[in-house]
Tab-separated table of all heavy atoms in Angstrom:
chain	number	residue	atom	x	y	z
A	1	TYR	N	29.738	-130.504	145.230
A	1	TYR	CA	28.492	-129.813	145.570
A	1	TYR	C	27.529	-129.807	144.379
A	1	TYR	O	26.308	-129.926	144.548
A	1	TYR	CB	28.783	-128.378	146.012
A	1	TYR	CG	29.335	-128.264	147.416
A	1	TYR	CD1	30.033	-127.128	147.825
A	1	TYR	CD2	29.179	-129.287	148.344
A	1	TYR	CE1	30.543	-127.013	149.110
A	1	TYR	CE2	29.693	-129.176	149.627
A	1	TYR	CZ	30.372	-128.036	150.004
A	1	TYR	OH	30.869	-127.929	151.283
A	2	VAL	N	28.072	-129.666	143.162
A	2	VAL	CA	27.212	-129.702	141.973
A	2	VAL	C	26.590	-131.087	141.803
A	2	VAL	O	25.388	-131.223	141.537
A	2	VAL	CB	28.011	-129.305	140.715
A	2	VAL	CG1	27.213	-129.607	139.453
A	2	VAL	CG2	28.381	-127.823	140.768
A	3	PHE	N	27.396	-132.152	141.959
A	3	PHE	CA	26.861	-133.504	141.863
A	3	PHE	C	25.833	-133.770	142.960
A	3	PHE	O	24.807	-134.426	142.728
A	3	PHE	CB	27.992	-134.532	141.948
A	3	PHE	CG	28.912	-134.532	140.760
A	3	PHE	CD1	30.268	-134.830	140.900
A	3	PHE	CD2	28.434	-134.230	139.492
A	3	PHE	CE1	31.108	-134.826	139.811
A	3	PHE	CE2	29.280	-134.223	138.392
A	3	PHE	CZ	30.617	-134.521	138.555
A	4	ALA	N	26.107	-133.260	144.166
A	4	ALA	CA	25.151	-133.418	145.262
A	4	ALA	C	23.848	-132.704	144.933
A	4	ALA	O	22.762	-133.224	145.193
A	4	ALA	CB	25.743	-132.882	146.563
A	5	MET	N	23.943	-131.512	144.363
A	5	MET	CA	22.749	-130.762	143.989
A	5	MET	C	21.897	-131.534	142.991
A	5	MET	O	20.670	-131.605	143.109
A	5	MET	CB	23.160	-129.409	143.413
A	5	MET	CG	22.003	-128.523	142.959
A	5	MET	SD	21.523	-128.791	141.229
A	5	MET	CE	22.996	-128.237	140.385
A	6	ILE	N	22.567	-132.151	142.001
A	6	ILE	CA	21.832	-132.943	141.009
A	6	ILE	C	21.135	-134.118	141.682
A	6	ILE	O	19.965	-134.424	141.403
A	6	ILE	CB	22.792	-133.430	139.902
A	6	ILE	CG1	23.334	-132.232	139.109
A	6	ILE	CG2	22.091	-134.420	138.980
A	6	ILE	CD1	24.434	-132.595	138.138
A	7	ALA	N	21.836	-134.793	142.587
A	7	ALA	CA	21.235	-135.934	143.285
A	7	ALA	C	20.067	-135.494	144.165
A	7	ALA	O	19.039	-136.174	144.225
A	7	ALA	CB	22.299	-136.650	144.120
A	8	TYR	N	20.210	-134.357	144.848
A	8	TYR	CA	19.102	-133.841	145.650
A	8	TYR	C	17.898	-133.503	144.764
A	8	TYR	O	16.740	-133.734	145.142
A	8	TYR	CB	19.522	-132.592	146.418
A	8	TYR	CG	20.294	-132.854	147.682
A	8	TYR	CD1	21.588	-132.366	147.849
A	8	TYR	CD2	19.734	-133.572	148.729
A	8	TYR	CE1	22.308	-132.590	149.010
A	8	TYR	CE2	20.441	-133.803	149.900
A	8	TYR	CZ	21.728	-133.311	150.037
A	8	TYR	OH	22.420	-133.547	151.200
A	9	ALA	N	18.159	-132.921	143.587
A	9	ALA	CA	17.076	-132.589	142.669
A	9	ALA	C	16.352	-133.850	142.204
A	9	ALA	O	15.116	-133.887	142.117
A	9	ALA	CB	17.624	-131.802	141.478
A	10	LEU	N	17.118	-134.906	141.910
A	10	LEU	CA	16.498	-136.180	141.522
A	10	LEU	C	15.687	-136.758	142.676
A	10	LEU	O	14.619	-137.349	142.468
A	10	LEU	CB	17.578	-137.167	141.081
A	10	LEU	CG	18.304	-136.828	139.769
A	10	LEU	CD1	19.455	-137.797	139.530
A	10	LEU	CD2	17.336	-136.859	138.598
A	11	ASP	N	16.199	-136.570	143.889
A	11	ASP	CA	15.461	-137.051	145.053
A	11	ASP	C	14.142	-136.303	145.211
A	11	ASP	O	13.110	-136.900	145.528
A	11	ASP	CB	16.316	-136.875	146.304
A	11	ASP	CG	15.635	-137.411	147.555
A	11	ASP	OD1	15.140	-138.565	147.507
A	11	ASP	OD2	15.597	-136.704	148.574
A	12	LEU	N	14.163	-134.986	144.975
A	12	LEU	CA	12.922	-134.216	145.045
A	12	LEU	C	11.940	-134.654	143.966
A	12	LEU	O	10.730	-134.712	144.201
A	12	LEU	CB	13.227	-132.726	144.881
A	12	LEU	CG	13.768	-131.977	146.102
A	12	LEU	CD1	14.113	-130.548	145.725
A	12	LEU	CD2	12.750	-131.987	147.232
A	13	ALA	N	12.475	-134.939	142.784
A	13	ALA	CA	11.605	-135.284	141.664
A	13	ALA	C	11.066	-136.707	141.733
A	13	ALA	O	9.905	-136.954	141.414
A	13	ALA	CB	12.361	-135.085	140.345
A	14	PHE	N	11.918	-137.649	142.163
A	14	PHE	CA	11.532	-139.058	142.109
A	14	PHE	C	11.635	-139.797	143.429
A	14	PHE	O	10.989	-140.816	143.624
A	14	PHE	CB	12.399	-139.812	141.087
A	14	PHE	CG	12.348	-139.250	139.705
A	14	PHE	CD1	13.421	-138.543	139.188
A	14	PHE	CD2	11.223	-139.426	138.918
A	14	PHE	CE1	13.388	-138.022	137.912
A	14	PHE	CE2	11.176	-138.913	137.631
A	14	PHE	CZ	12.245	-138.206	137.129
A	15	GLY	N	12.492	-139.325	144.309
A	15	GLY	CA	12.822	-140.109	145.496
A	15	GLY	C	11.646	-140.423	146.386
A	15	GLY	O	11.456	-141.553	146.830
A	16	ARG	N	10.811	-139.415	146.684
A	16	ARG	CA	9.686	-139.653	147.577
A	16	ARG	C	8.678	-140.608	146.969
A	16	ARG	O	8.168	-141.501	147.634
A	16	ARG	CB	9.006	-138.320	147.914
A	16	ARG	CG	9.883	-137.393	148.744
A	16	ARG	CD	9.141	-136.152	149.134
A	16	ARG	NE	9.960	-135.276	149.960
A	16	ARG	CZ	9.536	-134.153	150.510
A	16	ARG	NH1	8.288	-133.771	150.325
A	16	ARG	NH2	10.349	-133.420	151.251
A	17	SER	N	8.404	-140.410	145.672
A	17	SER	CA	7.453	-141.315	145.032
A	17	SER	C	8.025	-142.715	144.914
A	17	SER	O	7.294	-143.705	144.984
A	17	SER	CB	7.072	-140.785	143.642
A	17	SER	OG	8.222	-140.596	142.851
A	18	ALA	N	9.357	-142.833	144.759
A	18	ALA	CA	9.971	-144.157	144.702
A	18	ALA	C	9.834	-144.874	146.031
A	18	ALA	O	9.524	-146.070	146.090
A	18	ALA	CB	11.448	-144.025	144.321
A	19	THR	N	10.052	-144.138	147.130
A	19	THR	CA	9.892	-144.733	148.451
A	19	THR	C	8.452	-145.155	148.687
A	19	THR	O	8.169	-146.236	149.210
A	19	THR	CB	10.338	-143.733	149.531
A	19	THR	OG1	11.688	-143.357	149.278
A	19	THR	CG2	10.231	-144.344	150.911
A	20	ALA	N	7.535	-144.272	148.290
A	20	ALA	CA	6.116	-144.601	148.457
A	20	ALA	C	5.731	-145.807	147.616
A	20	ALA	O	4.957	-146.668	148.040
A	20	ALA	CB	5.253	-143.402	148.070
A	21	SER	N	6.312	-145.900	146.411
A	21	SER	CA	6.019	-147.036	145.541
A	21	SER	C	6.536	-148.335	146.144
A	21	SER	O	5.877	-149.373	146.090
A	21	SER	CB	6.638	-146.807	144.162
A	21	SER	OG	6.451	-147.919	143.332
A	22	ALA	N	7.737	-148.273	146.742
A	22	ALA	CA	8.288	-149.471	147.374
A	22	ALA	C	7.419	-149.932	148.535
A	22	ALA	O	7.195	-151.129	148.733
A	22	ALA	CB	9.706	-149.194	147.852
A	23	ARG	N	6.911	-148.978	149.301
A	23	ARG	CA	6.043	-149.341	150.412
A	23	ARG	C	4.707	-149.899	149.919
A	23	ARG	O	4.109	-150.768	150.535
A	23	ARG	CB	5.792	-148.116	151.297
A	23	ARG	CG	7.033	-147.662	152.065
A	23	ARG	CD	6.745	-146.399	152.834
A	23	ARG	NE	7.916	-145.963	153.591
A	23	ARG	CZ	7.981	-144.828	154.250
A	23	ARG	NH1	6.955	-143.985	154.255
A	23	ARG	NH2	9.078	-144.522	154.912
A	24	ALA	N	4.256	-149.377	148.776
A	24	ALA	CA	2.979	-149.833	148.239
A	24	ALA	C	3.023	-151.277	147.783
A	24	ALA	O	1.995	-151.942	147.676
A	24	ALA	CB	2.552	-148.938	147.071
A	25	LYS	N	4.248	-151.796	147.514
A	25	LYS	CA	4.375	-153.185	147.078
A	25	LYS	C	4.193	-154.176	148.209
A	25	LYS	O	4.099	-155.376	147.986
A	25	LYS	CB	5.752	-153.391	146.431
A	25	LYS	CG	5.919	-152.635	145.111
A	25	LYS	CD	7.293	-152.855	144.520
A	25	LYS	CE	7.468	-152.104	143.226
A	25	LYS	NZ	8.816	-152.305	142.646
A	26	GLN	N	4.160	-153.682	149.456
A	26	GLN	CA	3.929	-154.563	150.586
A	26	GLN	C	2.521	-155.149	150.484
A	26	GLN	O	1.551	-154.418	150.323
A	26	GLN	CB	4.062	-153.780	151.899
A	26	GLN	CG	5.413	-153.109	152.068
A	26	GLN	CD	6.442	-154.079	152.583
A	26	GLN	OE1	6.097	-155.100	153.152
A	26	GLN	NE2	7.701	-153.759	152.398
A	27	PRO	N	2.339	-156.456	150.573
A	27	PRO	CA	1.002	-157.047	150.439
A	27	PRO	C	0.124	-156.688	151.638
A	27	PRO	O	0.500	-156.874	152.786
A	27	PRO	CB	1.288	-158.558	150.390
A	27	PRO	CG	2.607	-158.716	151.063
A	27	PRO	CD	3.388	-157.469	150.796
A	28	VAL	N	-1.056	-156.149	151.346
A	28	VAL	CA	-2.020	-155.803	152.390
A	28	VAL	C	-3.304	-156.558	152.099
A	28	VAL	O	-3.976	-156.290	151.106
A	28	VAL	CB	-2.296	-154.287	152.416
A	28	VAL	CG1	-3.314	-153.943	153.488
A	28	VAL	CG2	-0.996	-153.516	152.629
A	29	PRO	N	-3.674	-157.547	152.943
A	29	PRO	CA	-4.879	-158.326	152.683
A	29	PRO	C	-6.131	-157.483	152.878
A	29	PRO	O	-6.322	-156.864	153.921
A	29	PRO	CB	-4.800	-159.446	153.725
A	29	PRO	CG	-3.946	-158.897	154.805
A	29	PRO	CD	-2.979	-157.973	154.159
A	30	VAL	N	-6.942	-157.414	151.850
A	30	VAL	CA	-8.208	-156.693	151.912
A	30	VAL	C	-9.296	-157.624	151.412
A	30	VAL	O	-9.171	-158.221	150.349
A	30	VAL	CB	-8.164	-155.414	151.035
A	30	VAL	CG1	-9.493	-154.687	151.104
A	30	VAL	CG2	-7.032	-154.522	151.475
A	31	THR	N	-10.361	-157.811	152.169
A	31	THR	CA	-11.451	-158.711	151.800
A	31	THR	C	-12.743	-157.942	151.674
A	31	THR	O	-12.904	-156.847	152.219
A	31	THR	CB	-11.618	-159.812	152.843
A	31	THR	OG1	-11.873	-159.197	154.108
A	31	THR	CG2	-10.354	-160.658	152.959
A	32	VAL	N	-13.670	-158.515	150.952
A	32	VAL	CA	-14.996	-157.924	150.744
A	32	VAL	C	-16.033	-158.864	151.329
A	32	VAL	O	-16.017	-160.063	151.046
A	32	VAL	CB	-15.265	-157.696	149.235
A	32	VAL	CG1	-16.663	-157.159	149.030
A	32	VAL	CG2	-14.236	-156.751	148.652
A	33	GLY	N	-16.948	-158.395	152.117
A	33	GLY	CA	-18.038	-159.199	152.659
A	33	GLY	C	-17.839	-159.567	154.098
A	33	GLY	O	-18.784	-159.649	154.857
A	34	GLY	N	-16.642	-159.854	154.551
A	34	GLY	CA	-16.368	-160.133	155.945
A	34	GLY	C	-16.615	-161.566	156.346
A	34	GLY	O	-16.337	-161.945	157.471
A	35	GLY	N	-17.115	-162.430	155.503
A	35	GLY	CA	-17.399	-163.817	155.860
A	35	GLY	C	-16.272	-164.739	155.483
A	35	GLY	O	-15.238	-164.336	154.977
A	36	ALA	N	-16.506	-166.030	155.699
A	36	ALA	CA	-15.482	-167.032	155.409
A	36	ALA	C	-15.228	-167.145	153.922
A	36	ALA	O	-14.144	-167.486	153.490
A	36	ALA	CB	-15.905	-168.393	155.987
A	37	ASP	N	-16.308	-166.874	153.160
A	37	ASP	CA	-16.171	-166.996	151.714
A	37	ASP	C	-15.844	-165.660	151.048
A	37	ASP	O	-16.045	-165.494	149.848
A	37	ASP	CB	-17.470	-167.546	151.108
A	37	ASP	CG	-17.777	-168.940	151.637
A	37	ASP	OD1	-16.813	-169.657	151.955
A	37	ASP	OD2	-18.961	-169.273	151.725
A	38	SER	N	-15.391	-164.734	151.860
A	38	SER	CA	-15.126	-163.400	151.315
A	38	SER	C	-14.014	-163.469	150.276
A	38	SER	O	-13.045	-164.197	150.428
A	38	SER	CB	-14.702	-162.443	152.434
A	38	SER	OG	-15.745	-162.337	153.372
A	39	ALA	N	-14.150	-162.679	149.239
A	39	ALA	CA	-13.162	-162.641	148.159
A	39	ALA	C	-12.299	-161.397	148.301
A	39	ALA	O	-12.759	-160.376	148.799
A	39	ALA	CB	-13.873	-162.623	146.799
A	40	PRO	N	-11.054	-161.468	147.882
A	40	PRO	CA	-10.193	-160.291	147.950
A	40	PRO	C	-10.746	-159.167	147.092
A	40	PRO	O	-11.281	-159.413	146.004
A	40	PRO	CB	-8.855	-160.783	147.416
A	40	PRO	CG	-8.924	-162.271	147.509
A	40	PRO	CD	-10.353	-162.639	147.349
A	41	ALA	N	-10.632	-157.949	147.598
A	41	ALA	CA	-11.095	-156.799	146.829
A	41	ALA	C	-10.144	-156.554	145.664
A	41	ALA	O	-8.954	-156.814	145.742
A	41	ALA	CB	-11.134	-155.558	147.714
A	42	GLU	N	-10.681	-156.035	144.591
A	42	GLU	CA	-9.866	-155.757	143.417
A	42	GLU	C	-8.961	-154.558	143.693
A	42	GLU	O	-9.418	-153.516	144.183
A	42	GLU	CB	-10.772	-155.466	142.220
A	42	GLU	CG	-9.997	-155.266	140.925
A	42	GLU	CD	-10.929	-155.063	139.755
A	42	GLU	OE1	-12.135	-155.255	139.925
A	42	GLU	OE2	-10.426	-154.698	138.676
A	43	ALA	N	-7.696	-154.708	143.444
A	43	ALA	CA	-6.741	-153.638	143.737
A	43	ALA	C	-6.934	-152.480	142.779
A	43	ALA	O	-7.266	-152.659	141.610
A	43	ALA	CB	-5.317	-154.165	143.632
């Protein structure tokens, strides 16, 4: 139970942001201008 508590605490501190960070690495195409020559927006 003590080890579980430590792991839960780490999950509260880092786990959600780690999951969000992993999802953020998914490539999402974003363009500027809307035309054929549109350039990708700066991330």
Side-chain angles (χ1 to χ4, degrees):
Y1 284 160
V2 169
F3 292 147
M5 179 271 295
I6 295 172
Y8 280 120
L10 292 173
D11 182 49
L12 281 176
F14 303 107
R16 293 184 178 184
S17 56
T19 303
S21 176
R23 291 176 179 174
K25 293 179 180 180
Q26 302 278 340
V28 179
V30 179
T31 58
V32 177
D37 298 330
S38 299
E42 184 177 351

